[in-house]
Amino acid sequence: MRTAIFLSTVLATILLSALAKSATDAKDPFLWLEDAHGKRAMQWVKTENAKTVAALDNDSLYQKLFAEAKVIAEDPDRIPNPAPRRGA
């Protein structure tokens, strides 16, 4: 069992090293996303958000689950009400 775990660990390490090397060797087509607040990145985010919102707005199950989650989240019984304990 120890041998299998050791070999798995060694193989995982070798695989991760190879993946890391290939990732640094290859040009990253999404490197522009590193500039999180850059004009291109923000436009991409807006476009992707619009696609997601459109898909969710047309999904009746999402609408139902959202309404249920909102009722739960806004329930006054869920608002924390801290109180001092003995001696505190």
Side-chain angles (χ1 to χ4, degrees):
M1 181 69 173
R2 285 182 169 169
T3 304
I5 293 172
F6 175 76
L7 288 176
S8 297
T9 305
V10 169
L11 289 173
T13 303
I14 292 169
L15 178 61
L16 289 174
S17 295
L19 288 173
K21 183 175 178 352
S22 68
T24 56
D25 291 348
K27 181 159 174 55
D28 184 356
F30 295 101
L31 191 58
W32 52 271
L33 283 172
E34 293 294 326
D35 183 12
H37 299 287
K39 189 175 182 177
R40 183 177 178 196
M42 292 306 295
Q43 185 56 48
W44 181 82
V45 168
K46 288 178 185 176
T47 302
E48 294 302 308
N49 282 346
K51 290 179 194 176
T52 302
V53 168
L56 294 176
D57 281 345
N58 294 323
D59 186 341
S60 60
L61 179 60
Y62 169 77
Q63 295 297 327
K64 178 180 179 270
L65 293 174
F66 180 83
E68 290 175 7
K70 187 174 180 186
V71 167
I72 292 168
E74 293 177 346
D75 186 344
D77 291 337
R78 294 182 52 86
I79 297 173
N81 188 13
R85 297 184 71 158
R86 249 183 314 168

